Amino acid sequence: MREAILLVGGQGTRLRPLTINTPKPMLPVAGVPFTVHQILRAREAGVTRLVLATSYKADVFASFLADSALVGPDSGIEVVIATEEVPLGTGGAIRFASAMLESGPDEPVLVFNGDVLTGLDIDGLVNYHQDSQSDVTLYLTRVDDPRAYGLVPTNEAGEVLQFLEKPQTPEEIVTDQINAGCYVFTRNVIDSIPADRAVSVERETFPQLLEANRRVSGVVDPGYWLDLGTPLAFVQGSVDLVRGFAPSPAVTTPSHYLALLGAEISRSAELSNGTTIGAQAQVGAGAVIDGCVVFDGAVIGDRCRIRNSIIGAGAVIENDCTVEGSVVGDGARVGAHNELRDGVRVWANAVIPELAIRFSADQ
Ligand code: GTP
């Protein structure tokens, strides 16, 4: 048996307003909730039992799993749910969820952040962990600008030297290797995390393990990596899945766009660059939709031009609008001839009158 914990209890504040009703890992990416991509990737890597560590909007996960054949009893992976009454942070969540694990004290347990899309060789990471007899092994990736991340320098033997969370000064930027949000823990290390309070693995558990001279390893994987935490990254991840640039067993045929069941798309509309059109959504005549995620039941009017944007469930974009690099919340209505650009966020159920906005403005 190989077991994993998937951390999905965060509030997803950077993706508001989309995460007001739906937790980030349950937002649809290339047609299915992101969590499904992750569960199927874990199954592909031989995980047979997975604990979903939930907190924020836990009921959304429970009702989805109850109805889903994708991760049902015959799917080859057993998925169980642990729900914290109050959020316990990443470390506290791992400790809490571990009560549902069956692995013995010396066995490896995988832990995945619930918002990271990767091409990681999961099996390779577990093998490295076991061969090196590590207490914890972290998946690392290299980025051009590491300032927004946790830096993890390693030595030539792959041993982690330090943890530096979100470094700001040039002296602190000692490496381009960052914590990529997937770990292998030896089970008894999880058991040593305090059970009765919030704990951050990044800020507390990992640095403490180094101080105690435990073996903490880092493996740099050169494959695909994206943190879907921001709107632009979320759109990018969905596009990359649809186009086949990012791997997922849930996407079998890469294509230029994906239209889900019951979507009504005018013959003169142009869909491109990995756009997904949700179930029962409508796209009007002459509309151009480039690299977007349009959620279920949304309506895009005639001649609209929508680029690199997320249109929430049931939102309505009336005729002749331009939407670029922006987010329209569930159920919002954007009147005709508006132009939303450069990070505009329209709140869920907001109503924007015709011709009200040109260029960027916060709603
Ligand atoms: P932001 O609020 O936009 O930063 O997003 P987030 O809430 O997802 O936070 P962050 O990206 O830092 O979290 C990393 C991962 O840990 C995500 O998959 C979260 O769902 C998860 N996570 C964060 N805090 C908790 C927690 O208290 N409990 C559980 N179960 N998961 C958590």
Side-chain angles (χ1 to χ4, degrees), residues 116 118 120 138-144 146 149-152 175-181 218-227:
V116 174
T118 80
L120 169 69
L138 286 86
Y139 159 38
L140 309 178
T141 192
R142 295 186 198 281
V143 292
D144 291 336
Y149 303 100
L151 300 200
V152 188
T175 178
D176 59 356
Q177 297 175 183
I178 63 157
N179 174 354
V219 174
V220 180
D221 187 290
Y224 185 97
W225 179 85
L226 190 65
D227 172 351

mmCIF file of all heavy atoms in Angstrom, residues 116 118 120 138-144 146 149-152 175-181 218-227:
data_model
loop_
_atom_site.group_PDB
_atom_site.id
_atom_site.type_symbol
_atom_site.label_atom_id
_atom_site.label_comp_id
_atom_site.label_asym_id
_atom_site.label_seq_id
_atom_site.Cartn_x
_atom_site.Cartn_y
_atom_site.Cartn_z
ATOM 1 N N VAL A 116 -0.928 22.664 -6.767
ATOM 2 C CA VAL A 116 0.288 22.657 -7.582
ATOM 3 C C VAL A 116 0.157 21.633 -8.708
ATOM 4 O O VAL A 116 -0.144 20.470 -8.476
ATOM 5 C CB VAL A 116 1.522 22.340 -6.698
ATOM 6 C CG1 VAL A 116 2.753 22.198 -7.556
ATOM 7 C CG2 VAL A 116 1.738 23.457 -5.684
ATOM 8 N N THR A 118 1.988 19.613 -11.603
ATOM 9 C CA THR A 118 3.374 19.207 -11.840
ATOM 10 C C THR A 118 3.492 18.011 -12.773
ATOM 11 O O THR A 118 2.561 17.220 -12.908
ATOM 12 C CB THR A 118 4.089 18.762 -10.535
ATOM 13 O OG1 THR A 118 3.707 17.421 -10.238
ATOM 14 C CG2 THR A 118 3.790 19.651 -9.388
ATOM 15 N N LEU A 120 6.028 16.088 -11.991
ATOM 16 C CA LEU A 120 6.982 15.403 -11.104
ATOM 17 C C LEU A 120 6.966 13.882 -11.277
ATOM 18 O O LEU A 120 5.901 13.277 -11.399
ATOM 19 C CB LEU A 120 6.609 15.739 -9.647
ATOM 20 C CG LEU A 120 7.306 14.915 -8.554
ATOM 21 C CD1 LEU A 120 8.787 15.242 -8.475
ATOM 22 C CD2 LEU A 120 6.629 15.167 -7.207
ATOM 23 N N LEU A 138 11.907 16.606 -0.022
ATOM 24 C CA LEU A 138 11.090 17.648 -0.659
ATOM 25 C C LEU A 138 11.321 17.656 -2.165
ATOM 26 O O LEU A 138 12.460 17.506 -2.626
ATOM 27 C CB LEU A 138 11.477 19.045 -0.163
ATOM 28 C CG LEU A 138 11.063 19.458 1.229
ATOM 29 C CD1 LEU A 138 12.085 19.005 2.246
ATOM 30 C CD2 LEU A 138 10.918 20.968 1.268
ATOM 31 N N TYR A 139 10.261 17.867 -2.882
ATOM 32 C CA TYR A 139 10.338 18.114 -4.319
ATOM 33 C C TYR A 139 10.671 19.593 -4.497
ATOM 34 O O TYR A 139 9.994 20.468 -3.951
ATOM 35 C CB TYR A 139 8.988 17.747 -4.934
ATOM 36 C CG TYR A 139 8.630 18.326 -6.273
ATOM 37 C CD1 TYR A 139 9.573 18.492 -7.294
ATOM 38 C CD2 TYR A 139 7.305 18.668 -6.542
ATOM 39 C CE1 TYR A 139 9.190 19.000 -8.532
ATOM 40 C CE2 TYR A 139 6.923 19.162 -7.774
ATOM 41 C CZ TYR A 139 7.872 19.333 -8.762
ATOM 42 O OH TYR A 139 7.495 19.833 -9.979
ATOM 43 N N LEU A 140 11.722 19.869 -5.249
ATOM 44 C CA LEU A 140 12.147 21.252 -5.500
ATOM 45 C C LEU A 140 12.056 21.548 -6.988
ATOM 46 O O LEU A 140 12.205 20.652 -7.823
ATOM 47 C CB LEU A 140 13.594 21.459 -5.037
ATOM 48 C CG LEU A 140 13.950 21.012 -3.621
ATOM 49 C CD1 LEU A 140 15.436 21.249 -3.345
ATOM 50 C CD2 LEU A 140 13.099 21.745 -2.589
ATOM 51 N N THR A 141 11.832 22.822 -7.309
ATOM 52 C CA THR A 141 11.890 23.236 -8.704
ATOM 53 C C THR A 141 12.683 24.536 -8.779
ATOM 54 O O THR A 141 12.845 25.227 -7.766
ATOM 55 C CB THR A 141 10.474 23.383 -9.307
ATOM 56 O OG1 THR A 141 10.578 23.520 -10.724
ATOM 57 C CG2 THR A 141 9.737 24.588 -8.761
ATOM 58 N N ARG A 142 13.211 24.848 -9.964
ATOM 59 C CA ARG A 142 13.976 26.097 -10.125
ATOM 60 C C ARG A 142 13.082 27.151 -10.767
ATOM 61 O O ARG A 142 12.358 26.854 -11.719
ATOM 62 C CB ARG A 142 15.181 25.870 -11.039
ATOM 63 C CG ARG A 142 16.215 24.925 -10.469
ATOM 64 C CD ARG A 142 17.435 24.896 -11.388
ATOM 65 N NE ARG A 142 18.265 23.732 -11.137
ATOM 66 C CZ ARG A 142 19.123 23.643 -10.117
ATOM 67 N NH1 ARG A 142 19.262 24.640 -9.263
ATOM 68 N NH2 ARG A 142 19.841 22.550 -9.959
ATOM 69 N N VAL A 143 13.135 28.381 -10.252
ATOM 70 C CA VAL A 143 12.351 29.475 -10.853
ATOM 71 C C VAL A 143 13.266 30.675 -11.093
ATOM 72 O O VAL A 143 14.294 30.827 -10.428
ATOM 73 C CB VAL A 143 11.169 29.909 -9.949
ATOM 74 C CG1 VAL A 143 10.119 28.824 -9.847
ATOM 75 C CG2 VAL A 143 11.649 30.323 -8.572
ATOM 76 N N ASP A 144 12.862 31.535 -12.037
ATOM 77 C CA ASP A 144 13.678 32.715 -12.366
ATOM 78 C C ASP A 144 13.678 33.728 -11.227
ATOM 79 O O ASP A 144 14.697 34.311 -10.890
ATOM 80 C CB ASP A 144 13.146 33.397 -13.637
ATOM 81 C CG ASP A 144 13.386 32.509 -14.852
ATOM 82 O OD1 ASP A 144 14.310 31.669 -14.777
ATOM 83 O OD2 ASP A 144 12.648 32.639 -15.839
ATOM 84 N N PRO A 146 12.727 33.857 -7.392
ATOM 85 C CA PRO A 146 12.271 33.043 -6.253
ATOM 86 C C PRO A 146 11.686 33.849 -5.088
ATOM 87 O O PRO A 146 11.331 33.263 -4.071
ATOM 88 C CB PRO A 146 13.561 32.332 -5.815
ATOM 89 C CG PRO A 146 14.687 33.165 -6.298
ATOM 90 C CD PRO A 146 14.183 34.061 -7.391
ATOM 91 N N TYR A 149 8.618 32.748 -2.960
ATOM 92 C CA TYR A 149 8.552 31.332 -2.586
ATOM 93 C C TYR A 149 9.460 31.033 -1.396
ATOM 94 O O TYR A 149 10.156 31.897 -0.889
ATOM 95 C CB TYR A 149 8.988 30.477 -3.776
ATOM 96 C CG TYR A 149 8.176 30.716 -5.018
ATOM 97 C CD1 TYR A 149 8.666 31.530 -6.037
ATOM 98 C CD2 TYR A 149 6.921 30.145 -5.169
ATOM 99 C CE1 TYR A 149 7.913 31.752 -7.187
ATOM 100 C CE2 TYR A 149 6.168 30.364 -6.306
ATOM 101 C CZ TYR A 149 6.669 31.163 -7.317
ATOM 102 O OH TYR A 149 5.924 31.380 -8.436
ATOM 103 N N GLY A 150 9.445 29.766 -0.990
ATOM 104 C CA GLY A 150 10.351 29.302 0.048
ATOM 105 C C GLY A 150 11.599 28.720 -0.606
ATOM 106 O O GLY A 150 11.504 27.763 -1.368
ATOM 107 N N LEU A 151 12.764 29.321 -0.320
ATOM 108 C CA LEU A 151 14.010 28.836 -0.930
ATOM 109 C C LEU A 151 14.546 27.635 -0.154
ATOM 110 O O LEU A 151 14.501 27.612 1.071
ATOM 111 C CB LEU A 151 15.086 29.919 -0.903
ATOM 112 C CG LEU A 151 14.818 31.220 -1.624
ATOM 113 C CD1 LEU A 151 16.135 31.934 -1.898
ATOM 114 C CD2 LEU A 151 14.070 30.987 -2.899
ATOM 115 N N VAL A 152 15.092 26.670 -0.909
ATOM 116 C CA VAL A 152 15.611 25.459 -0.264
ATOM 117 C C VAL A 152 16.967 25.098 -0.884
ATOM 118 O O VAL A 152 17.034 24.299 -1.822
ATOM 119 C CB VAL A 152 14.611 24.283 -0.416
ATOM 120 C CG1 VAL A 152 15.074 23.091 0.413
ATOM 121 C CG2 VAL A 152 13.208 24.695 -0.009
ATOM 122 N N THR A 175 19.802 30.721 -3.690
ATOM 123 C CA THR A 175 19.562 29.637 -4.652
ATOM 124 C C THR A 175 18.314 29.972 -5.461
ATOM 125 O O THR A 175 17.517 30.814 -5.062
ATOM 126 C CB THR A 175 19.348 28.293 -3.913
ATOM 127 O OG1 THR A 175 19.085 27.275 -4.880
ATOM 128 C CG2 THR A 175 18.186 28.347 -2.953
ATOM 129 N N ASP A 176 18.175 29.292 -6.598
ATOM 130 C CA ASP A 176 16.916 29.424 -7.354
ATOM 131 C C ASP A 176 16.022 28.204 -7.143
ATOM 132 O O ASP A 176 15.022 28.031 -7.815
ATOM 133 C CB ASP A 176 17.191 29.648 -8.849
ATOM 134 C CG ASP A 176 17.982 28.513 -9.477
ATOM 135 O OD1 ASP A 176 18.388 27.578 -8.740
ATOM 136 O OD2 ASP A 176 18.205 28.560 -10.694
ATOM 137 N N GLN A 177 16.387 27.349 -6.177
ATOM 138 C CA GLN A 177 15.578 26.160 -5.885
ATOM 139 C C GLN A 177 14.490 26.504 -4.877
ATOM 140 O O GLN A 177 14.778 27.045 -3.813
ATOM 141 C CB GLN A 177 16.442 25.067 -5.245
ATOM 142 C CG GLN A 177 17.526 24.556 -6.135
ATOM 143 C CD GLN A 177 18.441 23.574 -5.428
ATOM 144 O OE1 GLN A 177 19.394 23.138 -6.020
ATOM 145 N NE2 GLN A 177 18.183 23.230 -4.179
ATOM 146 N N ILE A 178 13.244 26.178 -5.222
ATOM 147 C CA ILE A 178 12.155 26.486 -4.282
ATOM 148 C C ILE A 178 11.396 25.218 -3.896
ATOM 149 O O ILE A 178 11.417 24.217 -4.610
ATOM 150 C CB ILE A 178 11.174 27.521 -4.869
ATOM 151 C CG1 ILE A 178 10.495 26.961 -6.131
ATOM 152 C CG2 ILE A 178 11.873 28.833 -5.160
ATOM 153 C CD1 ILE A 178 9.182 27.626 -6.424
ATOM 154 N N ASN A 179 10.722 25.321 -2.751
ATOM 155 C CA ASN A 179 9.831 24.263 -2.288
ATOM 156 C C ASN A 179 8.658 24.180 -3.265
ATOM 157 O O ASN A 179 7.890 25.126 -3.408
ATOM 158 C CB ASN A 179 9.352 24.643 -0.884
ATOM 159 C CG ASN A 179 8.302 23.697 -0.347
ATOM 160 O OD1 ASN A 179 7.831 22.799 -1.035
ATOM 161 N ND2 ASN A 179 7.934 23.910 0.911
ATOM 162 N N ALA A 180 8.525 23.031 -3.941
ATOM 163 C CA ALA A 180 7.525 22.914 -5.004
ATOM 164 C C ALA A 180 6.210 22.291 -4.528
ATOM 165 O O ALA A 180 5.326 22.015 -5.331
ATOM 166 C CB ALA A 180 8.116 22.096 -6.156
ATOM 167 N N GLY A 181 6.073 22.058 -3.218
ATOM 168 C CA GLY A 181 4.770 21.672 -2.676
ATOM 169 C C GLY A 181 4.429 20.197 -2.755
ATOM 170 O O GLY A 181 3.261 19.828 -2.816
ATOM 171 N N GLY A 218 16.429 17.168 -0.648
ATOM 172 C CA GLY A 218 15.722 17.929 -1.686
ATOM 173 C C GLY A 218 16.057 17.343 -3.044
ATOM 174 O O GLY A 218 17.216 17.067 -3.340
ATOM 175 N N VAL A 219 15.018 17.121 -3.856
ATOM 176 C CA VAL A 219 15.226 16.583 -5.199
ATOM 177 C C VAL A 219 14.706 17.600 -6.201
ATOM 178 O O VAL A 219 13.514 17.942 -6.186
ATOM 179 C CB VAL A 219 14.469 15.242 -5.379
ATOM 180 C CG1 VAL A 219 14.572 14.754 -6.817
ATOM 181 C CG2 VAL A 219 15.000 14.202 -4.410
ATOM 182 N N VAL A 220 15.604 18.111 -7.051
ATOM 183 C CA VAL A 220 15.177 19.078 -8.066
ATOM 184 C C VAL A 220 14.660 18.299 -9.268
ATOM 185 O O VAL A 220 15.373 17.490 -9.848
ATOM 186 C CB VAL A 220 16.346 19.982 -8.499
ATOM 187 C CG1 VAL A 220 15.881 20.981 -9.551
ATOM 188 C CG2 VAL A 220 16.942 20.702 -7.304
ATOM 189 N N ASP A 221 13.396 18.533 -9.592
ATOM 190 C CA ASP A 221 12.810 17.871 -10.766
ATOM 191 C C ASP A 221 12.658 18.931 -11.853
ATOM 192 O O ASP A 221 12.083 19.994 -11.608
ATOM 193 C CB ASP A 221 11.449 17.272 -10.389
ATOM 194 C CG ASP A 221 10.860 16.419 -11.497
ATOM 195 O OD1 ASP A 221 10.454 16.994 -12.536
ATOM 196 O OD2 ASP A 221 10.800 15.191 -11.330
ATOM 197 N N PRO A 222 13.168 18.686 -13.055
ATOM 198 C CA PRO A 222 13.158 19.709 -14.096
ATOM 199 C C PRO A 222 11.840 19.797 -14.859
ATOM 200 O O PRO A 222 11.681 20.647 -15.738
ATOM 201 C CB PRO A 222 14.269 19.233 -15.050
ATOM 202 C CG PRO A 222 14.280 17.751 -14.884
ATOM 203 C CD PRO A 222 13.849 17.455 -13.485
ATOM 204 N N GLY A 223 10.873 18.956 -14.536
ATOM 205 C CA GLY A 223 9.628 18.886 -15.318
ATOM 206 C C GLY A 223 8.701 20.073 -15.043
ATOM 207 O O GLY A 223 9.031 21.011 -14.320
ATOM 208 N N TYR A 224 7.517 19.979 -15.612
ATOM 209 C CA TYR A 224 6.509 21.039 -15.523
ATOM 210 C C TYR A 224 6.158 21.325 -14.057
ATOM 211 O O TYR A 224 5.963 20.409 -13.263
ATOM 212 C CB TYR A 224 5.244 20.592 -16.274
ATOM 213 C CG TYR A 224 4.184 21.656 -16.335
ATOM 214 C CD1 TYR A 224 4.057 22.461 -17.457
ATOM 215 C CD2 TYR A 224 3.323 21.868 -15.254
ATOM 216 C CE1 TYR A 224 3.085 23.455 -17.501
ATOM 217 C CE2 TYR A 224 2.356 22.857 -15.292
ATOM 218 C CZ TYR A 224 2.244 23.643 -16.420
ATOM 219 O OH TYR A 224 1.291 24.631 -16.463
ATOM 220 N N TRP A 225 6.026 22.610 -13.718
ATOM 221 C CA TRP A 225 5.591 23.002 -12.363
ATOM 222 C C TRP A 225 4.850 24.332 -12.428
ATOM 223 O O TRP A 225 5.319 25.277 -13.062
ATOM 224 C CB TRP A 225 6.798 23.165 -11.431
ATOM 225 C CG TRP A 225 6.387 23.589 -10.052
ATOM 226 C CD1 TRP A 225 5.984 22.775 -9.035
ATOM 227 C CD2 TRP A 225 6.319 24.927 -9.545
ATOM 228 N NE1 TRP A 225 5.670 23.524 -7.923
ATOM 229 C CE2 TRP A 225 5.855 24.851 -8.222
ATOM 230 C CE3 TRP A 225 6.588 26.184 -10.082
ATOM 231 C CZ2 TRP A 225 5.659 25.974 -7.414
ATOM 232 C CZ3 TRP A 225 6.386 27.316 -9.285
ATOM 233 C CH2 TRP A 225 5.934 27.193 -7.962
ATOM 234 N N LEU A 226 3.703 24.394 -11.815
ATOM 235 C CA LEU A 226 2.960 25.662 -11.743
ATOM 236 C C LEU A 226 2.117 25.684 -10.471
ATOM 237 O O LEU A 226 1.387 24.733 -10.186
ATOM 238 C CB LEU A 226 2.056 25.810 -12.974
ATOM 239 C CG LEU A 226 1.391 27.165 -13.188
ATOM 240 C CD1 LEU A 226 2.409 28.260 -13.475
ATOM 241 C CD2 LEU A 226 0.402 27.089 -14.341
ATOM 242 N N ASP A 227 2.223 26.770 -9.721
ATOM 243 C CA ASP A 227 1.378 26.993 -8.546
ATOM 244 C C ASP A 227 0.144 27.758 -9.027
ATOM 245 O O ASP A 227 0.267 28.884 -9.510
ATOM 246 C CB ASP A 227 2.196 27.812 -7.541
ATOM 247 C CG ASP A 227 1.381 28.285 -6.358
ATOM 248 O OD1 ASP A 227 0.151 28.143 -6.370
ATOM 249 O OD2 ASP A 227 1.990 28.816 -5.413
#
